[in-house]
Amino acid sequence: MKKTVFVSLILLLTFSSCGLLGIHFKVHNPKKPGKSLKYSKEEILLGELTQYRTCYDVNYYDFSLTVDPDKKTLDGVVQIHATAQVDFDTLQLDLHSNFEITKLIDKTTNKELMFERNERAVFVHSPRKNGDSFILQISYNGQPVKAKKAPWKGGFVWEKDDEKNPWIGVACESDGASLWWPLKDHTSDEADSVRLHYTVPQGLTAVGNGQFEGETKKGDQSTFNWFVSYPINSYNVTIYVGKFRHFNDQYTGINGETLELDHYVLEKNYFAAKKHFEQLHPILKSFEELFGEYPWYRDGFKLVESPYAGMEHQTAIAYGNGYRNNGDNETDYIILHETAHEWWGNSVTVKDLADVWIQEGFATYAEALYYEKKKGTDAYNSQLSWNRIMIKNKYPVVSQKDRRCFHFRRNSDVYGKGAWILHSLRCQLEDDSLFFDIIKSFYSEFKYQIVETKDFTDLVNTKTGSDYSWFFDQYLMSNFVPELDYAYTPEGLVYYRWSNVSESYNQLKISALIKGEKITLIPSAEVQHLDLPKNNSGTWSFSFSPSSVLYALNENSKLLKEVKK
């Protein structure tokens, strides 16, 4: 009988959460990396954490805004309460050049301040001594940038509902909050609290973040007042305007605390929303069990129907997915993903968007963990399979610091590859208790704080008692994933080795399947081999599993020639 070896590279059997996935979509390294990124003057001015920004710390914003839906204009006043961190003469604020600054005053002295504008940067001459508390008040007006494709290409969205009522929203994670209001527009500085006063034509509702503090009416206008009692990153501050219908729900947390759920939807979708949003309860419960308590109990939680797909605005998530369950046919992926951001991105926020994988990768991985809790290992594996499809390996996951450079089309790997890095770490540890302790500890230790990638990698090293720098350097700092070359012979020998990584990477454990049984391999840069046992039929059955960790698998017949030498 002819001896053959069956090497399955496309269809793999389901084994375990760190074993073989149901379907494997092969990971490819690009023939060449993505083109070098070029940054505009505006991106540099927004991204750099210069002395003009580090010289002061923002404590509180008081933001009043009048929205004119007909003219599509904004007219606002922002008070910035801050504390000097050093002696300085000049500080930087940020505001898009579409807006005119009509007045900028020092509220302590009521004196008007001199300023210069360069792109979005506003350099204010306002000498202070270290420790000084001060208040700046900026009055401005103009027409904001219209979003080309919210939320990915940011700006204002000016739509109308089916009854021709204004339906307005904004999204600015990539582009910065200075797209529509003046502030210190850098993720390294979160205000401790924010008050929002949104004025719109009567008959419309203006929804903001946090707690509703009432509506006041004057003439033909209504002002809706909101208060955010926790730290908030600036791109999460938001506004929705529409003819909304409000309904209330309550969620009981894992520690017995009641969380108020206040949702705002278009009238025609009221009954659909009441049913559809029930899925929020198991989602919140799962994330609390996985990561820790929901971070914003005082400020509640709301889904607000938006004229674009979705965005994780803190306690006021934009929902625009058409009331469809397109996750596992029972789950709305927008609700799932954006709710995960309340933990990852809103509570734990990166100092620089170069590390945005901590926000997007963790939130994407949270989706898979939710499916695992809900339906088991197969559902977890299935979700990760779809994440894998999107991995491009064009750019490193961690990008250049001091540039506002988070753009979905430039580097979408912060999502899917970010999730796979966490999955790969879980499989390397082979200890779920340890892995989930790391995730929970990372959240609990950095809740309401600003983080960098190093904070997570240091925690991993501390918790494991090992140095995982080799692992994170490969997956985060290089755009290439490890490549495993292999070849096999008719006699049932399989040869394999890493082809593109350093010797320090010879610790990575991968999985394979022999005769239906899982084995663990630790490849190296040196060629290794397996002598496969025969099946009862006299054949060999074997498959690598590029699904236990993230790597590329390449058949390379040259290995056999090297072995013969």
Side-chain angles (χ1 to χ4, degrees), residues 37-48 53 94 120 172-179 183-188 233-236 311 350-354 359 399-407 410:
L37 297 178
K38 296 180 180 180
Y39 302 99
S40 67
K41 186 177 181 181
E42 179 178 88
E43 287 175 318
I44 294 171
L45 283 167
L46 281 174
E48 286 188 330
R53 286 172 147 174
D94 305 281
R120 279 201 231 174
C172 58
E173 179 180 9
S174 298
D175 305 87
S178 55
L179 207 66
L183 73 158
K184 180 180 178 179
D185 196 3
H186 198 281
T187 54
S188 65
N233 67 64
S234 57
Y235 67 75
N236 264 325
M311 181 61 200
V350 294
K351 179 180 180 180
D352 190 296
L353 290 180
Q359 300 179 180
S399 55
Q400 184 176 344
K401 293 185 185 299
D402 292 328
R403 302 290 183 269
R404 194 171 187 97
C405 60
F406 173 38
H407 296 281
R410 282 186 184 176

Side-chain angles (χ1 to χ4, degrees), residues 11-82:
L11 296 179
L12 299 176
L13 300 175
T14 298
F15 189 82
S16 72
S17 62
C18 292
L20 308 182
L21 300 188
I23 298 177
H24 165 53
F25 297 92
K26 189 176 180 182
V27 172
H28 294 280
N29 275 321
K31 292 181 180 179
K32 59 181 180 179
K35 295 180 180 179
S36 297
L37 297 178
K38 296 180 180 180
Y39 302 99
S40 67
K41 186 177 181 181
E42 179 178 88
E43 287 175 318
I44 294 171
L45 283 167
L46 281 174
E48 286 188 330
L49 196 55
T50 65
Q51 62 184 2
Y52 303 111
R53 286 172 147 174
T54 59
C55 64
Y56 71 105
D57 175 57
V58 174
N59 312 123
Y60 170 67
Y61 290 108
D62 195 308
F63 180 17
S64 299
L65 184 72
T66 299
V67 180
D68 188 328
D70 294 328
K71 295 180 180 178
K72 298 181 180 179
T73 58
L74 307 179
D75 191 332
V77 178
V78 178
Q79 286 191 0
I80 303 174
H81 297 240

Side-chain angles (χ1 to χ4, degrees), residues 6 44 172 180 207 236 249 321 347 395 424 448 491-492 514 517 523:
F6 298 102
I44 294 171
C172 58
W180 65 291
V207 182
N236 264 325
D249 191 9
N321 198 38
S347 181
Y395 297 99
S424 298
Y448 311 133
E491 293 75 31
I514 296 180
E517 297 293 328

Side-chain angles (χ1 to χ4, degrees), residues 7 11 17 79 86 114 124 130 133 142 146 211 213 219 250-251 263 273 275 295 332 451 471 477 481 511 522 540-541:
V7 181
L11 296 179
S17 62
Q79 286 191 0
V86 294
M114 301 295 293
V124 183
N130 185 18
S133 295
K146 183 178 179 180
Q211 308 166 28
E213 292 193 319
Q250 291 183 330
Y251 161 77
H263 307 309
K275 178 65 176 176
D332 190 315
V451 299
F471 178 90
M477 307 304 173
V481 297
S511 297
I522 305 179
W540 295 273
S541 177

